[in-house]
């Protein structure tokens, strides 16, 4: 049997076949001094040491395979996630902040929407008379002027302010069916 100093001086893989000498798994296994001691004890014929060495190597090899499995799983999940994100980005690209033209100081689509919304908010009114004056089509303005006061108020609330029938009914103190019936009479 070899002594402690002989075990430390003699490389473990020196008498191993060439493929084992270059194998990283075997090299990492024998990086632990306890495994080197077990190797020399098993080489001397101790069966318990040989069984213990085999068991330790099984655990070591399982640990490496399990870590490799986890790394590959994370890698492939990341790839799938990136592909899905790229697919979503191409399908639903954000155009809100993209410039409308290629000029340097061109306004964006979002700014254009903001300007249009400001213009709409300025033109909103609850007064049927001012709503009538804001109508640009003269035939529409003429038809609006021929409506009853109640019909004009309902049309103003519905189309100028965007209220729904049940909201208009609450404001006027009538049923939603009455509002719908009044709109259909137009």
């Amino acid at each position: 049997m070899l002594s402690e100093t002989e075990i430390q001086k003699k490389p473990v893989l020196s008498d191993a076949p060439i493929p084992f000498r270059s194998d990283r798994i075997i090299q990492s296994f024998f990086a632990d001094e306890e495994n080197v001691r077990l190797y020399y004890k098993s080489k001397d014929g101790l069966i318990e040491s040989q069984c213990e060495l085999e068991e330790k190597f099984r655990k070591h090899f399982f640990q490496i395979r399990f870590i490799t499995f986890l790394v590959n799983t994370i890698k492939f999940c990341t790839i799938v996630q990136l592909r899905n994100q790229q697919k979503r980005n191409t399908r639903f690209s954000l155009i809100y902040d993209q410039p409308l033209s290629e000029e340097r100081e061109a306004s964006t689509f979002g700014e254009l929407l903001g300007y249009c919304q400001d213009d709409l908010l300025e033109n909103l009114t609850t007064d049927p008379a001012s709503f009538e004056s804001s109508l640009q089509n003269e035939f529409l303005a003429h038809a609006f002027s021929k409506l009853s006061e109640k019909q004009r108020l309902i049309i103003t609330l519905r189309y100028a302010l965007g209220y729904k029938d049940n909201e208009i009914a609450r404001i006027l103190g009538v049923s939603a069916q009455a509002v719908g019936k009044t709109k259909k009479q137009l």
Side-chain angles (χ1 to χ4, degrees):
M1 192 159 151
L2 297 171
S3 68
E4 289 291 324
T5 56
E6 290 175 313
I7 289 174
Q8 291 175 353
K9 289 180 182 176
K10 186 175 180 183
V12 176
L13 300 174
S14 62
D15 55 346
I18 294 173
F20 290 134
R21 287 186 218 157
S22 62
D23 192 280
R24 289 178 19 195
I25 295 172
I26 294 175
Q27 288 176 354
S28 68
F29 178 72
F30 285 117
D32 185 4
E33 289 182 27
E34 179 63 28
N35 295 338
V36 174
R37 284 191 191 95
L38 284 173
Y39 172 74
Y40 282 118
K41 286 180 183 178
S42 67
K43 203 166 183 189
D44 287 341
L46 292 173
I47 294 180
E48 295 90 24
S49 298
Q50 187 176 9
C51 290
E52 190 179 346
L53 182 67
E54 287 176 3
E55 185 61 31
K56 279 192 163 198
F57 186 74
R58 276 192 201 106
K59 288 180 180 178
H60 176 75
F61 190 63
F62 174 79
Q63 187 178 21
I64 289 174
R65 286 179 49 215
F66 185 68
I67 290 171
T68 304
F69 169 75
L70 289 177
V71 166
N72 286 334
T73 302
I74 291 169
K75 180 175 108 178
F76 290 122
C77 286
T78 304
I79 290 171
V80 168
Q81 183 68 24
L82 288 173
R83 284 181 183 161
N84 288 339
Q85 184 178 2
Q86 187 177 20
K87 190 186 297 185
R88 275 192 309 273
N89 289 345
T90 56
R91 284 184 182 170
F92 308 113
S93 61
L94 290 175
I95 59 171
Y96 194 76
D97 292 331
Q98 290 181 351
L100 293 174
S101 65
E102 294 182 17
E103 296 175 12
R104 251 189 182 182
E105 296 182 18
S107 62
T108 63
F109 183 68
E111 291 171 346
L112 178 67
L113 285 177
Y115 297 143
C116 292
Q117 191 173 21
D118 291 341
D119 292 342
L120 285 174
L121 289 174
E122 288 175 4
N123 293 334
L124 292 180
T125 180
T126 57
D127 181 34
S130 49
F131 178 66
E132 182 180 353
S133 65
S134 70
L135 294 174
Q136 295 175 354
N137 185 327
E138 63 183 65
F139 296 111
L140 192 58
H142 180 69
F144 186 79
S145 66
K146 293 194 178 228
L147 297 175
S148 70
E149 193 62 37
K150 185 176 181 183
Q151 290 173 331
R152 292 172 65 180
L153 182 59
I154 289 174
I155 295 297
T156 302
L157 290 172
R158 176 71 176 121
Y159 297 107
L161 298 174
Y163 286 117
K164 295 180 181 170
D165 287 354
N166 57 354
E167 295 170 330
I168 295 171
R170 234 180 290 127
I171 291 170
L172 298 178
V174 296
S175 68
Q177 291 82 7
V179 172
K181 186 177 177 183
T182 305
K183 280 183 10 185
K184 284 183 181 179
Q185 289 174 354
L186 304 174

